[in-house]
Amino acid sequence: MKIKRNILLNPGPATTTDTVKMAQVVPDICPREKEFANMMKSLRSDLLRVAHAPADKYTSVLFCGSGTINIDICLNSLLPEGRRVLIVNNGAYSSRAVEVCQYYGLPHIDLRSSVFEQPNLDDVRRTLEANPDIAMVYTTHHETGTGVLNPIREIGALAHEHNAIFVVDTTSSLGMIPFDMEQDHVDFCMASAQKGLMAMTGLSFIIGNETVIRKSKDYPKRSYYCNLYLQYDYFERTGEMHFTPPVQTIYATMQALKEYFEVGEVEKFARHHRVIEAIHQGLADMGLREVIRRDIQSGLVASVLYPDDPNWDFERVHDYCYERGFTIYPGKISTTNTFRLCALGAIDAPDIEAFFGVLRDAFDKNGIALPAKYE
Ligand SMILES: *Cc1c(COP(=O)(O)O)cnc(C)c1O
């Protein structure tokens, strides 16, 4: 079967290999069969390997849902009664965590800072010192909305110095940017199958400290479907998800993990690096400006400032590229008009060169000046 190959430059879901797509086409199976439980067992241990999380300390728990389900689950499940969450918030995804706290009525501190910068560590320290009731520090590793990479090792060290657990949204870094659960002081991280692993949507997972999960048995139960301990406990007792798993996505994820380990993380990270370098080069050649300083970028997302050109029209440029198999994506910065080009997925530098050919045509056809104009 020939499947059209689209180049997705949005921040996930990402371009997948044909072998991952085809891995979903399997004989029908009831996921309550032992065969399926065995598969999930090996999937769970493979996920620990991706995160370099020692199996004697960490476990992984699977959920059916998009990546946001992990944010919801960690926040509502891991906060003891009468304690607070500190959210180190410099972007859209940490703001989403703040919203989760608001919806559950979880006591929290929203430590907001500029979306263009990394958080200030002195502010984090001062907040922890002034508020000994903080039991959890939460942040986002790679803020996908801007492309800023946050200093999780330093934030994690502060959390642990103040006896708080450290929960990190690594949805857009796991399997693409190296980090180390122990050295970075990460108690819980999370991701979904369609980002760094380059599989399909519908499977999300949390990797975390097993002792803390066991302790959370006695924490307030704020959700039924989205409770970490309940799902963990069900896996421990039966090897299965509490409720129906995303069967075909799990097959695709198994295949994606196989390909991940075959390529190896060093080579995979090097490929992401080639892709983002090609993106930086293509933007510079067109005179397009990025809004985030290079030294704090994740190396996976370029946030591009809209040119000051009367003919600039994101929708029209997007549609022109989309019709030719390239998907670009709007920014997530409320104060500045940006669009994003991302280096996720099974793509390489030649795909980016082909994309810039099309983007230049889109500028040309729409009468947008090249090099791009800025006031
Ligand atoms: C993609 C992403 C999520 C999850 O978003 P969904 O739309 O629920 O898949 C969460 N956090 C970050 C940092 C992300 O990039």
PDB file of all heavy atoms in Angstrom, residues 235-249:
ATOM      1  N   PHE A 235      -2.684  -2.135  36.978  1.00  0.00           N
ATOM      2  CA  PHE A 235      -1.581  -2.717  36.193  1.00  0.00           C
ATOM      3  C   PHE A 235      -0.809  -3.732  37.033  1.00  0.00           C
ATOM      4  O   PHE A 235      -0.456  -4.808  36.566  1.00  0.00           O
ATOM      5  CB  PHE A 235      -0.614  -1.628  35.709  1.00  0.00           C
ATOM      6  CG  PHE A 235      -0.878  -1.158  34.308  1.00  0.00           C
ATOM      7  CD1 PHE A 235      -1.287   0.151  34.051  1.00  0.00           C
ATOM      8  CD2 PHE A 235      -0.715  -2.014  33.219  1.00  0.00           C
ATOM      9  CE1 PHE A 235      -1.520   0.580  32.763  1.00  0.00           C
ATOM     10  CE2 PHE A 235      -0.944  -1.582  31.927  1.00  0.00           C
ATOM     11  CZ  PHE A 235      -1.362  -0.285  31.698  1.00  0.00           C
ATOM     12  N   GLU A 236      -0.527  -3.372  38.288  1.00  0.00           N
ATOM     13  CA  GLU A 236       0.251  -4.270  39.145  1.00  0.00           C
ATOM     14  C   GLU A 236      -0.485  -5.587  39.372  1.00  0.00           C
ATOM     15  O   GLU A 236       0.119  -6.654  39.377  1.00  0.00           O
ATOM     16  CB  GLU A 236       0.537  -3.596  40.500  1.00  0.00           C
ATOM     17  CG  GLU A 236       1.544  -2.471  40.415  1.00  0.00           C
ATOM     18  CD  GLU A 236       2.873  -2.911  39.791  1.00  0.00           C
ATOM     19  OE1 GLU A 236       3.556  -3.741  40.394  1.00  0.00           O
ATOM     20  OE2 GLU A 236       3.197  -2.426  38.692  1.00  0.00           O
ATOM     21  N   ARG A 237      -1.795  -5.482  39.554  1.00  0.00           N
ATOM     22  CA  ARG A 237      -2.555  -6.695  39.878  1.00  0.00           C
ATOM     23  C   ARG A 237      -2.881  -7.545  38.659  1.00  0.00           C
ATOM     24  O   ARG A 237      -2.947  -8.770  38.746  1.00  0.00           O
ATOM     25  CB  ARG A 237      -3.841  -6.323  40.633  1.00  0.00           C
ATOM     26  CG  ARG A 237      -3.556  -5.944  42.103  1.00  0.00           C
ATOM     27  CD  ARG A 237      -4.819  -5.734  42.913  1.00  0.00           C
ATOM     28  NE  ARG A 237      -5.512  -4.511  42.539  1.00  0.00           N
ATOM     29  CZ  ARG A 237      -6.708  -4.469  41.956  1.00  0.00           C
ATOM     30  NH1 ARG A 237      -7.360  -5.571  41.681  1.00  0.00           N
ATOM     31  NH2 ARG A 237      -7.254  -3.302  41.642  1.00  0.00           N
ATOM     32  N   THR A 238      -3.107  -6.900  37.489  1.00  0.00           N
ATOM     33  CA  THR A 238      -3.632  -7.647  36.334  1.00  0.00           C
ATOM     34  C   THR A 238      -2.763  -7.535  35.087  1.00  0.00           C
ATOM     35  O   THR A 238      -2.967  -8.278  34.141  1.00  0.00           O
ATOM     36  CB  THR A 238      -5.035  -7.110  35.952  1.00  0.00           C
ATOM     37  OG1 THR A 238      -4.861  -5.766  35.486  1.00  0.00           O
ATOM     38  CG2 THR A 238      -5.983  -7.116  37.143  1.00  0.00           C
ATOM     39  N   GLY A 239      -1.854  -6.548  35.057  1.00  0.00           N
ATOM     40  CA  GLY A 239      -1.066  -6.300  33.844  1.00  0.00           C
ATOM     41  C   GLY A 239      -1.848  -5.562  32.763  1.00  0.00           C
ATOM     42  O   GLY A 239      -1.375  -5.407  31.643  1.00  0.00           O
ATOM     43  N   GLU A 240      -3.035  -5.102  33.123  1.00  0.00           N
ATOM     44  CA  GLU A 240      -3.898  -4.464  32.119  1.00  0.00           C
ATOM     45  C   GLU A 240      -4.246  -3.040  32.510  1.00  0.00           C
ATOM     46  O   GLU A 240      -4.138  -2.658  33.671  1.00  0.00           O
ATOM     47  CB  GLU A 240      -5.222  -5.240  32.003  1.00  0.00           C
ATOM     48  CG  GLU A 240      -5.055  -6.640  31.475  1.00  0.00           C
ATOM     49  CD  GLU A 240      -6.383  -7.377  31.430  1.00  0.00           C
ATOM     50  OE1 GLU A 240      -7.441  -6.720  31.456  1.00  0.00           O
ATOM     51  OE2 GLU A 240      -6.347  -8.614  31.365  1.00  0.00           O
ATOM     52  N   MET A 241      -4.736  -2.281  31.515  1.00  0.00           N
ATOM     53  CA  MET A 241      -5.329  -0.988  31.821  1.00  0.00           C
ATOM     54  C   MET A 241      -6.681  -1.240  32.468  1.00  0.00           C
ATOM     55  O   MET A 241      -7.365  -2.206  32.140  1.00  0.00           O
ATOM     56  CB  MET A 241      -5.565  -0.199  30.525  1.00  0.00           C
ATOM     57  CG  MET A 241      -4.424   0.676  30.123  1.00  0.00           C
ATOM     58  SD  MET A 241      -4.995   1.872  28.896  1.00  0.00           S
ATOM     59  CE  MET A 241      -3.452   2.217  28.096  1.00  0.00           C
ATOM     60  N   HIS A 242      -7.053  -0.330  33.369  1.00  0.00           N
ATOM     61  CA  HIS A 242      -8.326  -0.474  34.063  1.00  0.00           C
ATOM     62  C   HIS A 242      -9.484  -0.537  33.055  1.00  0.00           C
ATOM     63  O   HIS A 242     -10.387  -1.353  33.173  1.00  0.00           O
ATOM     64  CB  HIS A 242      -8.501   0.721  35.005  1.00  0.00           C
ATOM     65  CG  HIS A 242      -9.479   0.484  36.113  1.00  0.00           C
ATOM     66  ND1 HIS A 242      -9.607   1.359  37.155  1.00  0.00           N
ATOM     67  CD2 HIS A 242     -10.374  -0.503  36.344  1.00  0.00           C
ATOM     68  CE1 HIS A 242     -10.540   0.914  37.993  1.00  0.00           C
ATOM     69  NE2 HIS A 242     -11.014  -0.218  37.517  1.00  0.00           N
ATOM     70  N   PHE A 243      -9.434   0.321  32.063  1.00  0.00           N
ATOM     71  CA  PHE A 243     -10.496   0.354  31.041  1.00  0.00           C
ATOM     72  C   PHE A 243      -9.871   0.142  29.666  1.00  0.00           C
ATOM     73  O   PHE A 243      -8.661   0.023  29.547  1.00  0.00           O
ATOM     74  CB  PHE A 243     -11.279   1.660  31.147  1.00  0.00           C
ATOM     75  CG  PHE A 243     -11.808   1.870  32.544  1.00  0.00           C
ATOM     76  CD1 PHE A 243     -11.250   2.833  33.380  1.00  0.00           C
ATOM     77  CD2 PHE A 243     -12.805   1.055  33.058  1.00  0.00           C
ATOM     78  CE1 PHE A 243     -11.703   2.990  34.693  1.00  0.00           C
ATOM     79  CE2 PHE A 243     -13.261   1.206  34.363  1.00  0.00           C
ATOM     80  CZ  PHE A 243     -12.708   2.178  35.182  1.00  0.00           C
ATOM     81  N   THR A 244     -10.704   0.104  28.634  1.00  0.00           N
ATOM     82  CA  THR A 244     -10.240  -0.289  27.301  1.00  0.00           C
ATOM     83  C   THR A 244      -9.041   0.532  26.819  1.00  0.00           C
ATOM     84  O   THR A 244      -9.100   1.762  26.789  1.00  0.00           O
ATOM     85  CB  THR A 244     -11.384  -0.144  26.274  1.00  0.00           C
ATOM     86  OG1 THR A 244     -12.519  -0.835  26.805  1.00  0.00           O
ATOM     87  CG2 THR A 244     -11.000  -0.722  24.932  1.00  0.00           C
ATOM     88  N   PRO A 245      -7.955  -0.130  26.465  1.00  0.00           N
ATOM     89  CA  PRO A 245      -6.780   0.592  25.951  1.00  0.00           C
ATOM     90  C   PRO A 245      -6.950   0.936  24.465  1.00  0.00           C
ATOM     91  O   PRO A 245      -7.790   0.350  23.788  1.00  0.00           O
ATOM     92  CB  PRO A 245      -5.654  -0.435  26.126  1.00  0.00           C
ATOM     93  CG  PRO A 245      -6.331  -1.757  26.038  1.00  0.00           C
ATOM     94  CD  PRO A 245      -7.739  -1.582  26.560  1.00  0.00           C
ATOM     95  N   PRO A 246      -6.120   1.879  23.979  1.00  0.00           N
ATOM     96  CA  PRO A 246      -6.144   2.185  22.544  1.00  0.00           C
ATOM     97  C   PRO A 246      -5.341   1.107  21.803  1.00  0.00           C
ATOM     98  O   PRO A 246      -4.142   1.262  21.586  1.00  0.00           O
ATOM     99  CB  PRO A 246      -5.479   3.561  22.473  1.00  0.00           C
ATOM    100  CG  PRO A 246      -4.561   3.601  23.653  1.00  0.00           C
ATOM    101  CD  PRO A 246      -5.137   2.707  24.708  1.00  0.00           C
ATOM    102  N   VAL A 247      -6.022   0.041  21.444  1.00  0.00           N
ATOM    103  CA  VAL A 247      -5.357  -1.189  20.982  1.00  0.00           C
ATOM    104  C   VAL A 247      -4.401  -0.937  19.813  1.00  0.00           C
ATOM    105  O   VAL A 247      -3.217  -1.287  19.871  1.00  0.00           O
ATOM    106  CB  VAL A 247      -6.423  -2.247  20.593  1.00  0.00           C
ATOM    107  CG1 VAL A 247      -5.763  -3.477  19.969  1.00  0.00           C
ATOM    108  CG2 VAL A 247      -7.247  -2.633  21.811  1.00  0.00           C
ATOM    109  N   GLN A 248      -4.911  -0.334  18.751  1.00  0.00           N
ATOM    110  CA  GLN A 248      -4.081  -0.172  17.547  1.00  0.00           C
ATOM    111  C   GLN A 248      -2.914   0.787  17.790  1.00  0.00           C
ATOM    112  O   GLN A 248      -1.825   0.600  17.263  1.00  0.00           O
ATOM    113  CB  GLN A 248      -4.938   0.306  16.356  1.00  0.00           C
ATOM    114  CG  GLN A 248      -5.793  -0.789  15.748  1.00  0.00           C
ATOM    115  CD  GLN A 248      -6.932  -1.247  16.666  1.00  0.00           C
ATOM    116  OE1 GLN A 248      -7.381  -0.534  17.555  1.00  0.00           O
ATOM    117  NE2 GLN A 248      -7.419  -2.453  16.426  1.00  0.00           N
ATOM    118  N   THR A 249      -3.153   1.807  18.603  1.00  0.00           N
ATOM    119  CA  THR A 249      -2.069   2.740  18.926  1.00  0.00           C
ATOM    120  C   THR A 249      -0.956   2.017  19.680  1.00  0.00           C
ATOM    121  O   THR A 249       0.228   2.326  19.511  1.00  0.00           O
ATOM    122  CB  THR A 249      -2.606   3.923  19.758  1.00  0.00           C
ATOM    123  OG1 THR A 249      -3.582   4.604  18.966  1.00  0.00           O
ATOM    124  CG2 THR A 249      -1.508   4.892  20.133  1.00  0.00           C
TER     125      THR A 249
END
